[in-house]
């Protein structure tokens, strides 16, 4: 089965030109939203989609550029479309998402819990889980912010999507050794990489891994780095890529 990914945005948390790093993963008519950041509702509209075009959303961690659009998603689906969207999320992130991010804005009258707005489907860590026929995901806990859980995604055992993570060359080598053919990796353009992998670190990867790696979640100065990313390519916003 052919799997395609289209980035609704490719920017870092502070980027203004490229919107939050959120994506649409599509396979056999099934459309999965990967993260739902602050700019997602506007950016989704700009590429000709609405929330009703989504079959589910998958969340990596609790930062605004990855979950800040969920309030509008929930309200639109409830009051405009009379539907409860499917939310795939790590078991460990369910309470933090509600208590620390969504509760204040969504709570009203009898609507007092995450399950009132979403069909919550908890995901176990390090297990290959089928989201749809032909599409599986494994959540890998990766380092991002100290004491704040964050997960990257391995789709169909061959496509690694880093969400937000610090540089981990050993993990990337292991994934490639186990059959990963495509890596979409967040990239901080300027060193040092404190909570994200920075370009200098990614450039230390072997050529064989670089050729499988595409850079996303970058800053507004990305044009200045064209031709300076080794064998790694830059993911373009709104363009569809076959995986």
């Amino acid at each position: 089965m052919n799997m395609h990914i289209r980035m609704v945005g490719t920017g870092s948390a502070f980027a203004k030109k490229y919107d939050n790093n959120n994506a649409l993963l599509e396979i056999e008519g099934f459309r999965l939203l990967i993260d739902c950041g602050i700019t997602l509702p506007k950016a989704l509209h700009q590429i000709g989609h609405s929330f009703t075009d989504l079959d589910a959303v998958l969340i990596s961690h609790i930062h605004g550029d990855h979950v800040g659009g969920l309030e509008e998603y929930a309200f639109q689906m409830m009051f405009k479309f009379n539907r409860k969207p499917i939310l795939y999320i790590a078991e460990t992130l369910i309470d933090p998402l509600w208590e620390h991010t969504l509760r204040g804005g969504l709570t009203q009258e009898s609507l007092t819990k995450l399950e009132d707005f979403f069909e919550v489907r908890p995901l176990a860590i390090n297990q290959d889980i089928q989201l749809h026929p032909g599409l599986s995901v494994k959540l890998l806990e990766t380092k991002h912010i100290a004491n704040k859980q964050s997960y990257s995604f391995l789709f169909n055992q061959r496509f690694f999507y880093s969400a937000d993570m610090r540089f981990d060359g050993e993990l990337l080598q292991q994934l490639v050794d186990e059959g990963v053919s495509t890596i979409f990796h967040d990239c901080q353009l300027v060193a040092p990489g404190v909570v994200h992998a920075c370009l200098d670190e990614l450039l230390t990867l072997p050529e064989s891994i670089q050729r499988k790696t595409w850079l996303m979640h970058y800053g507004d100065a990305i044009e200045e780095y064209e031709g300076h990313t080794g064998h790694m390519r830059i993911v373009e916003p709104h363009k569809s890529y076959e995986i």
Side-chain angles (χ1 to χ4, degrees):
M1 293 184 182
N2 294 330
M3 180 165 60
H4 294 82
I5 188 168
R6 185 182 187 191
M7 302 304 297
V8 186
T10 55
S12 68
F14 303 142
K16 304 305 178 208
K17 293 169 60 176
Y18 296 103
D19 293 316
N20 295 152
N21 195 84
N22 305 156
L24 296 176
L25 189 66
E26 301 182 54
I27 185 167
E28 297 294 309
F30 179 79
R31 186 176 288 123
L32 176 71
L33 175 65
I34 304 176
D35 286 328
C36 184
I38 296 167
T39 66
L40 185 280
K42 172 184 69 70
L44 190 67
H45 173 75
Q46 288 177 335
I47 64 171
H49 284 298
S50 74
F51 285 124
T52 57
D53 296 326
L54 308 177
D55 292 293
V57 59
L58 172 66
I59 296 300
S60 62
H61 66 291
I62 314 302
H63 271 156
D65 56 323
H66 295 263
V67 297
L70 285 176
E71 181 178 311
E72 181 175 343
Y73 186 16
F75 277 144
Q76 277 210 37
M77 293 302 291
M78 174 172 284
F79 297 116
K80 189 175 179 180
F81 301 111
N82 194 32
R83 261 177 56 196
K84 187 181 288 190
I86 294 173
L87 170 65
Y88 288 109
I89 185 170
E91 297 169 326
T92 57
L93 296 181
I94 294 174
D95 286 344
L97 176 63
W98 177 251
E99 294 296 337
H100 304 312
T101 301
L102 296 178
R103 181 178 181 179
L106 287 179
T107 297
Q108 54 184 285
E109 299 178 345
S110 63
L111 305 172
T112 60
K113 58 185 183 299
L114 187 64
E115 291 77 8
D116 290 331
F117 297 93
F118 293 96
E119 184 179 323
V120 181
R121 298 192 180 176
L123 299 179
I125 312 306
N126 296 320
Q127 293 186 22
D128 208 38
I129 301 168
Q130 187 179 73
L131 304 184
H132 183 76
L135 179 63
S136 66
V137 67
K138 179 187 286 188
L139 272 61
L140 305 177
E141 186 168 4
T142 45
K143 295 180 180 179
H144 178 36
I145 303 291
N147 302 315
K148 191 178 185 76
Q149 288 166 313
S150 184
Y151 300 93
S152 296
F153 305 125
L154 178 59
F155 294 102
N156 288 358
Q157 298 295 323
R158 71 176 190 268
F159 173 41
F160 179 71
Y161 183 98
S162 76
D164 289 3
M165 63 176 276
R166 287 180 256 165
F167 181 70
D168 190 341
E170 290 185 7
L171 173 61
L172 297 177
Q173 182 67 65
Q174 176 187 335
L175 290 168
V176 169
D177 290 344
E178 293 174 353
V180 165
S181 58
T182 305
I183 296 168
F184 271 36
H185 207 297
D186 54 313
C187 177
Q188 180 178 308
L189 297 175
V190 180
V194 179
V195 297
H196 291 278
C198 71
L199 180 57
D200 287 351
E201 291 172 317
L202 291 166
L203 284 169
T204 67
L205 292 170
E207 178 181 335
S208 59
I209 297 181
Q210 288 191 34
R211 290 189 180 279
K212 301 177 187 296
T213 302
W214 296 74
L215 305 178
M216 62 179 187
H217 205 290
Y218 43 70
D220 285 337
I222 187 63
E223 292 91 346
E224 301 173 15
Y225 291 82
E226 291 182 4
H228 302 283
T229 59
H231 299 284
M232 299 177 289
R233 288 160 286 182
I234 299 169
V235 180
E236 297 179 37
H238 306 169
K239 183 176 179 179
S240 181
Y241 298 87
E242 183 174 352
I243 305 300

